[in-house]
Amino acid sequence: MARAQTDERSELDLVAIACLVPSLLYVVLMFVYPFLYGLYASLQPPKGGAWSIANYLAFFSDPYQYRTIETTFALAIPNSVVVVLAALFLAYGMRRGIWMERTITTILVLPISLGVIFLSEGILGFYGTNGWLNQMLIGAGILAEPLELTHNFIGVTLSLFMQQFPFCFLMLLGYISGIDPSLESSARMLGAGPWTVFRRVMLPLIAPGLIIAFALVFVMSFAVFPSAVMVGQPAGSTRTISIAAYQQAFEQYDMSYASAIAVIMGVCQLLALIAIVLVRRRMTIATTMGVGKR
Amino acid sequence: MSDSIGHLRVDITKRYGGKTVLDQLRLEIRGGEFVTFLGPSGCGKSTALGVIAGLIPASAGEVWLDEQRLDRVPPEKRGFGMVFQNYALFPHLTVFDNVAFGLSLQSRPAAEIQERVQSMLGLVRLSGYESRYPGQLSGGQQQRVAIARALILHPRLMLFDEPLSNLDAKLRIEMRAEIKLLHSRLGLTSIYVTHDQAEALSLSDRIVLLRDGVLMQVGTPQEIHDRPRNLFVADFMGFRNFFDVRLGEPAGGFVEGMGRSLKLRARTAQDFSAGPDAIMAIRPDDIRIGKTSDGVNAVRGKVELVEYLGREQEAVIAIDTETRLWLRTAEKVTPGDEIALTLPADKLVLLPRE
């Protein structure tokens, strides 16, 4: 009996491994190899010679370079918080379905399908110094001088919000509408008003999804490049770490230094993700114990 | 207990779009009474409960408890307890915190909460499970937590929405007895929604039978079981044999009905006024095998089909080419047998033709 079981299991394992091969191969070729190559390149200065951490030392001794980490965090964290909170607010309001739901969802999701470039062009056309918004406000006599909404921090924030909000909203809507509606009813029957229901019942149940959504939005924001160039101020206030890497690679042609910056960027994202996962674990031990075992 | 005794008065209508799912449901429920809303799925029984709870807004009508009008009051301010079909326990809270939830919202002192939760868990026989999570309990235990969570707030009215339908058959009967015991001990006015007639009969002081949002009959379990008022109630309560008859003049407490192939005699019912076209109905287990000495209501037939049900068997008897009788008996019958049957006159029920 025991023997039959092990046989069965090893057979299953073989099938499982066989099924995994294509995706493993893909991950190795498209992620692991480039990553290791980048790591290797970053430790090999272009003049040749021995292994060296000179690139990393150069990065961290040059304020012009290491400040990009600060700039990127300053852009990514507030943006992720705003996106997640706005998506939470809207998704929670729509959790039981609303009038014209499909139309509204389609409009909300449309920006995803447009692509960053188109979106950024749109932002320039509408929010730009000579954009519709400023022309309207000046024409109406509300403003004398146009608002500076593009080619700065605000422009990038607008662009990031438009790209990430739909994605985050959809993710949270799926998560929230998956929560059993009778939990809400039962909390109300026990004396909880709508706000208490949210705070004491729904929020603890949404929290794991919220944190994952935050992590994904954060990682996407951290890698921001096109919008930082197009609607930001790539030489100044929105010089993110990806711009620093780009300049090293394609303006200075120093692939080794560029690789080092890319590695630093990856490490920053990884550290942030680890912090987020740790928070999530602390918050959700209790929740996950009760789920899926009905 | 002061003068708030939990006397409930409702008159509710609910429409979704153009569809009326509850049509002027008028009811009075006395304090301490256990009333069941019974009916097939889609009859409006759960909607009625939701409207009384305040979870579903009524389209029209009123809900009164004692001297207080409640239909504009949000559910959290009505002071009702509710038990849900899927238990609806908070998965992120322990058993203790689930039961303490309502009390903690009232910001009671910790010592009081501790004491009341302990005694309530004792009442539902779950002492020792305080620190478990709902996911670690069986279905029956979860439902007991849900009941404790509602009862601990001393609700003025208890609402049960098919609380046992997710449990297996054996546990369902045990929990049914437990709910009955709790009710007799605490005497709370209760409304219980179910589609299971056995549950309704065993638990209720009164049963409210609904169909498509319309009240079909209200009565004690005995009344509903023995004296259904119409074809729907009779059919739902287990009558299977229906005969279209033309009634004669009542005489001596009996009335004769001429069917297409049968002549039957039934007791006249005081409240029966329809006719002369009527329906006579009898349950499969009220039909007797054999002939009585006076030969009244005797029929002969051939056994077509026998279904074994354990203690008894259900047989289909062909009276003629078109008429079939359903019989339930502990006696042995085999397909092909020619048997004589008696339909006892006091078991035949008169129903109006629809």
Side-chain angles (χ1 to χ4, degrees):
Chain A
M1 196 59 200
R3 193 198 178 106
Q5 257 177 12
T6 37
D7 281 357
E8 202 173 294
R9 179 177 292 180
S10 61
E11 200 173 297
L12 253 176
D13 282 352
L14 278 179
V15 174
I17 289 167
C19 292
L20 263 175
V21 165
S23 42
L24 274 178
L25 214 62
Y26 183 84
V27 169
V28 166
L29 282 177
M30 305 304 285
F31 176 71
V32 178
Y33 171 73
F35 179 75
L36 290 177
Y37 180 81
L39 197 61
Y40 167 80
S42 73
L43 294 166
Q44 289 278 314
K47 283 118 200 155
W51 295 79
S52 148
I53 55 166
N55 286 327
Y56 293 92
L57 290 175
F59 182 87
F60 284 107
S61 57
D62 183 357
Y64 184 61
Q65 300 291 25
Y66 70 71
R67 287 245 170 89
T68 56
I69 295 183
E70 196 189 316
T71 306
T72 315
F73 270 110
L75 203 60
I77 289 180
N79 178 66
S80 308
V81 170
V82 169
V83 165
V84 168
L85 287 183
L88 171 68
F89 183 76
L90 197 68
Y92 191 77
M94 286 176 71
R95 69 196 181 285
R96 301 286 162 259
I98 53 165
W99 180 71
M100 299 263 287
E101 181 170 348
R102 197 171 296 181
T103 316
I104 291 170
T105 311
T106 310
I107 292 171
L108 286 173
V109 170
L110 210 58
I112 292 186
S113 61
L114 294 179
V116 189
I117 309 299
F118 189 84
L119 200 70
S120 299
E121 288 290 350
I123 289 173
L124 287 177
F126 187 82
Y127 294 102
T129 319
N130 284 319
W132 295 2
L133 183 71
N134 274 320
Q135 286 186 23
M136 226 154 56
L137 291 176
I138 291 168
I142 299 169
L143 288 178
E145 292 293 309
L147 289 171
E148 294 287 341
L149 295 175
T150 53
H151 298 302
N152 58 16
F153 199 83
I154 299 171
V156 183
T157 307
L158 277 174
S159 170
L160 283 179
F161 183 86
M162 286 179 200
Q163 289 163 54
Q164 294 163 352
F165 174 79
F167 159 81
C168 186
F169 162 74
L170 278 189
M171 192 173 148
L172 287 180
L173 184 64
Y175 201 89
I176 294 173
S177 47
I179 293 174
D180 180 0
S182 67
L183 291 179
E184 210 178 319
S185 302
S186 71
R188 305 244 1 219
M189 295 307 291
L190 292 167
W195 169 244
T196 312
V197 171
F198 175 74
R199 202 171 48 85
R200 303 262 318 243
V201 178
M202 297 301 274
L203 191 58
L205 294 174
I206 298 167
L210 208 58
I211 291 168
I212 288 299
F214 180 84
L216 290 175
V217 171
F218 172 79
V219 167
M220 291 197 307
S221 308
F222 200 86
V224 57
F225 180 71
S227 18
V229 174
M230 290 186 66
V231 289
Q233 194 187 0
S237 68
T238 68
R239 186 169 183 270
T240 60
I241 190 162
S242 56
I243 292 176
Y246 172 83
Q247 285 174 339
Q248 284 305 321
F250 301 107
E251 286 170 15
Q252 311 293 327
Y253 299 106
D254 186 346
M255 275 298 167
S256 178
Y257 196 179
S259 299
I261 296 175
V263 169
I264 290 166
M265 180 176 160
V267 169
C268 287
Q269 285 174 314
L270 197 67
L271 289 177
L273 278 184
I274 288 172
I276 292 168
V277 167
L278 286 179
V279 170
R280 180 177 196 261
R281 195 182 293 170
R282 273 184 70 96
M283 283 181 71
T284 58
I285 288 173
T287 318
T288 45
M289 281 179 85
V291 173
K293 263 182 74 182
R294 298 233 156 173
Chain B
M1 299 263 162
S2 52
D3 54 345
S4 66
I5 50 161
H7 183 103
L8 182 76
R9 211 146 36 87
V10 298
D11 174 357
I12 43 182
T13 296
K14 178 68 188 171
R15 282 179 228 100
Y16 283 114
K19 196 173 178 297
T20 303
V21 289
L22 271 181
D23 192 10
Q24 288 207 316
L25 178 68
R26 282 209 189 94
L27 270 180
E28 280 212 35
I29 297 173
R30 295 185 300 273
E33 201 177 11
F34 197 112
V35 170
T36 301
F37 291 175
L38 177 65
S41 59
C43 71
K45 55 191 192 297
S46 287
T47 308
L49 200 73
V51 170
I52 293 170
L55 295 170
I56 301 173
S59 306
E62 296 173 9
V63 176
W64 289 79
L65 189 79
D66 298 321
E67 294 315 312
Q68 195 186 357
R69 185 171 171 178
L70 288 172
D71 44 283
R72 299 252 182 275
V73 176
E76 63 268 24
K77 299 226 167 67
R78 292 194 185 190
F80 296 172
M82 186 157 177
V83 175
F84 295 80
Q85 180 174 358
N86 59 358
Y87 326 129
L89 297 180
F90 306 127
H92 60 296
L93 299 179
T94 60
V95 167
F96 184 95
D97 290 335
N98 262 283
V99 177
F101 188 85
L103 290 179
S104 72
L105 291 183
Q106 300 171 1
S107 351
R108 300 292 178 117
E112 184 198 335
I113 293 179
Q114 181 74 24
E115 191 205 313
R116 279 172 69 176
V117 172
Q118 292 300 347
S119 78
M120 191 44 75
L121 285 175
L123 185 71
V124 297
R125 300 188 288 110
L126 279 174
S127 301
Y129 286 87
E130 290 82 358
S131 54
R132 302 272 189 104
Y133 283 90
Q136 298 170 309
L137 302 180
S138 71
Q141 289 169 331
Q142 290 191 41
Q143 198 54 293
R144 295 214 294 270
V145 174
I147 292 172
R149 184 176 67 170
L151 285 179
I152 198 166
L153 298 174
H154 304 311
R156 300 189 285 177
L157 176 69
M158 267 301 277
L159 306 170
F160 296 89
D161 190 5
E162 308 209 27
L164 306 184
S165 52
N166 281 2
L167 302 176
D168 61 57
K170 185 167 169 285
L171 204 55
R172 202 179 304 163
I173 293 172
E174 281 174 31
M175 283 295 296
R176 195 167 86 190
E178 230 163 286
I179 289 177
K180 179 133 188 153
L181 194 70
L182 281 174
H183 178 253
S184 67
R185 224 195 279 183
L186 304 172
L188 293 168
T189 314
S190 305
I191 303 178
Y192 187 102
V193 163
T194 182
H195 59 264
D196 181 339
Q197 48 148 308
E199 247 170 50
L201 291 173
S202 73
L203 285 169
S204 321
D205 295 319
R206 269 193 307 158
I207 295 174
V208 175
L209 237 144
L210 294 166
R211 174 211 198 176
D212 296 337
V214 179
L215 199 150
M216 287 281 115
Q217 188 170 349
V218 185
T220 64
Q222 290 77 12
E223 282 165 359
I224 299 277
H225 185 268
D226 298 338
R227 290 280 151 208
R229 256 229 231 98
N230 53 51
L231 189 60
F232 173 80
V233 176
D235 190 37
F236 195 81
M237 296 310 294
F239 285 79
R240 287 204 67 184
N241 301 299
F242 300 97
F243 313 101
D244 286 346
V245 293
R246 203 176 165 76
L247 296 179
E249 279 302 309
F254 289 93
V255 63
E256 297 242 305
M258 286 295 296
R260 220 174 35 78
S261 54
L262 290 165
K263 191 168 129 187
L264 293 170
R265 200 199 220 188
R267 265 190 199 285
T268 44
Q270 274 93 9
D271 55 351
F272 187 78
S273 52
D277 286 326
I279 295 170
M280 283 187 179
I282 190 164
R283 286 200 158 78
D285 36 5
D286 284 334
I287 299 178
R288 301 269 157 267
I289 292 186
K291 212 166 158 181
T292 43
S293 50
D294 55 5
V296 173
N297 289 354
V299 293
R300 291 195 67 79
K302 191 173 174 186
V303 180
E304 266 192 349
L305 191 76
V306 178
E307 252 185 286
Y308 179 68
L309 300 174
R311 273 188 59 216
E312 32 180 36
Q313 42 204 333
E314 192 157 274
V316 181
I317 318 287
I319 304 300
D320 57 34
T321 49
E322 275 171 48
T323 315
R324 298 283 179 280
L325 273 184
W326 274 265
L327 162 73
R328 201 176 257 219
T329 175
E331 285 180 46
K332 180 141 184 60
V333 286
T334 28
D337 284 358
E338 284 275 346
I339 54 173
L341 299 170
T342 301
L343 281 49
D346 52 353
K347 301 287 189 192
L348 275 166
V349 171
L350 284 173
L351 306 169
R353 208 136 354 137
E354 280 169 15

